[in-house]
Amino acid sequence: MEKIVDIIEAMAHEKNLSLETAVEAFKESLVKTAKRCTSYSSHFEATVDMDKKDYHVQQIITVAKDNDERFETEPDSVISLKEAQDEYGSDIELGDELRSDFILEEHGRTASHNLFKELQYHIQRCVEQDLFEKYREKVGQVMIGTVNRIDDKENTFIEIGELKGILSQRNRIKGEKFKLGDTVKALLRYVSIDPEFGMFLELTRTSPKFLEKLMEKEVPEIADETVEIIAAARIPGQRAKIALKTDFPNIDPIGAAVGVKGVRINAVSAELTGENIDCVDYSPIPEVFITRALSPAIVQSLKITDKKEKKALVNITSDQKAKAIGKSGINIRLASMLTGYTIELNEIEGVTDRTGESSGNIPSENEKTTNTDALADLFK
């Protein structure tokens, strides 16, 4: 017995498991082995005393009524009241548990072999469960690993700690390719168990969350939460917009994110294969936020047409329309993703100069300042 208990301690140390976890796995293995030696409908209970290096297994039979359904489903776990009283004495009552020692050594080598197999299985399950919990807590964090294989489906396999990460083609930035031995940064999306791959980590480099985490690592003000990322939107590998805010009047969130001569934002852009990143100063007023999100285009006026459905109508001069839309519609798409509003552009006559002033058929200054509903949000 001492030898078996010593083996448990050794396995716990080897597999980097807590002794309590290994002992629970040993108990489960004892119960499973006992059922293999008797019947699967029997009930057993195992106890382990690590101080005395001893263990015991007991079979439990419950005294039940004659019509108890367990006589059909678990016949070896119950006994009728009459039969129990005839065999063990008249003081036996319904619900009593009759316990008898199960001696594993009496069942020969087969029992020992089965116990060892069960123990290996349950220890491995504990290892996998610990790994699953360990990496599940890291979901949403940036992982760093080394490429060790690329299959014919362009899935990139990355070695990360004890598990392998999979960066599929759809989770890579367009045009991005890796070779064996490359060091890769990616965001952990989730931990999964697959019949083909086993337990693996699904990684992504296209998620807006990946951009946020990279910014957090490069910008100390974001890491210490003096500057907060409100939202981020990306067209991976092309362009991104990120909305920032701060409650500290002496801090410029845009300047903090960009860094001296753009060193911080350029470091993030380089990691994203040259993706252009626009920093936007967040505002709780939708009209202001949308106007800023459409930068570099200069908006003449803006109206929220449907607050519930989040729709906005933007008046813009013809010379600013191309800037608002952007190449292949990328600017307006990102602005919509960032703000959560469906943005409709309405072209008006006139030309906007660099100061934002325009000439032509646009609402008068009085018309633009009469409605103060947008300012109400400031005083909520």
Side-chain angles (χ1 to χ4, degrees), residues 70-305:
R70 285 177 292 180
F71 281 103
E72 296 291 333
T73 58
E74 302 173 344
D76 294 312
S77 69
V78 289
I79 187 173
S80 68
L81 178 60
K82 184 178 184 307
E83 187 179 350
Q85 288 178 339
D86 290 345
E87 188 171 347
Y88 299 103
S90 59
D91 57 340
I92 298 295
E93 298 178 354
L94 286 173
D96 285 351
E97 291 183 347
L98 306 177
R99 293 173 177 259
S100 59
D101 288 334
F102 176 85
I103 309 301
L104 188 66
E105 288 79 359
E106 294 178 357
H107 293 266
R109 285 188 170 184
T110 302
S112 299
H113 178 68
N114 287 338
L115 176 61
F116 184 68
K117 285 177 63 178
E118 286 286 347
L119 184 56
Q120 280 187 314
Y121 170 77
H122 284 94
I123 288 289
Q124 186 58 35
R125 286 292 301 272
C126 289
V127 170
E128 291 174 356
Q129 184 64 30
D130 279 5
L131 278 176
F132 184 84
E133 294 298 331
K134 173 184 174 181
Y135 283 96
R136 188 172 68 170
E137 291 175 358
K138 296 182 179 181
V139 169
Q141 296 183 18
V142 174
M143 311 298 288
I144 302 175
T146 306
V147 176
N148 60 9
R149 185 164 74 90
I150 301 172
D151 66 11
D152 54 358
K153 296 179 181 178
E154 292 296 318
N155 292 314
T156 303
F157 292 80
I158 301 171
E159 187 176 339
I160 300 174
E162 306 91 334
L163 296 179
K164 60 177 173 286
I166 300 179
L167 187 63
S168 61
Q169 188 173 14
R170 67 186 178 87
N171 286 319
R172 291 202 313 267
I173 296 170
K174 187 177 180 181
E176 194 173 48
K177 291 189 177 181
F178 301 104
K179 59 182 185 296
L180 296 181
D182 282 353
T183 300
V184 178
K185 287 182 182 179
L187 186 83
L188 177 58
R189 290 186 64 194
Y190 58 81
V191 187
S192 184
I193 299 176
D194 182 84
E196 181 181 354
F197 299 123
M199 189 182 298
F200 69 95
L201 311 175
E202 173 148 344
L203 306 171
T204 179
R205 286 174 55 83
T206 58
S207 167
K209 193 73 177 177
F210 183 48
L211 168 61
E212 294 179 26
K213 288 296 180 181
L214 290 176
M215 290 292 294
E216 185 179 314
K217 287 185 177 294
E218 287 293 333
V219 183
E221 290 86 350
I222 294 176
D224 64 21
E225 298 182 348
T226 54
V227 173
E228 183 182 354
I229 297 175
I230 301 300
R234 292 179 65 193
I235 307 294
Q238 298 182 50
R239 192 171 170 188
K241 288 180 183 285
I242 187 165
L244 305 165
K245 69 165 281 192
T246 182
D247 295 326
F248 298 85
N250 60 329
I251 294 178
D252 173 18
I254 307 299
V258 172
V260 179
K261 295 183 179 179
V263 64
R264 292 174 176 176
I265 204 79
N266 288 341
V268 175
S269 178
E271 178 61 39
L272 300 176
T273 66
E275 190 172 304
N276 291 319
I277 304 168
D278 298 337
C279 293
V280 176
D281 203 350
Y282 172 76
S283 171
I285 303 171
E287 290 87 344
V288 177
F289 188 27
I290 295 169
T291 299
R292 291 173 179 172
L294 283 169
S295 177
I298 300 172
V299 172
Q300 290 305 311
S301 62
L302 187 150
K303 182 181 180 182
I304 304 298
T305 55

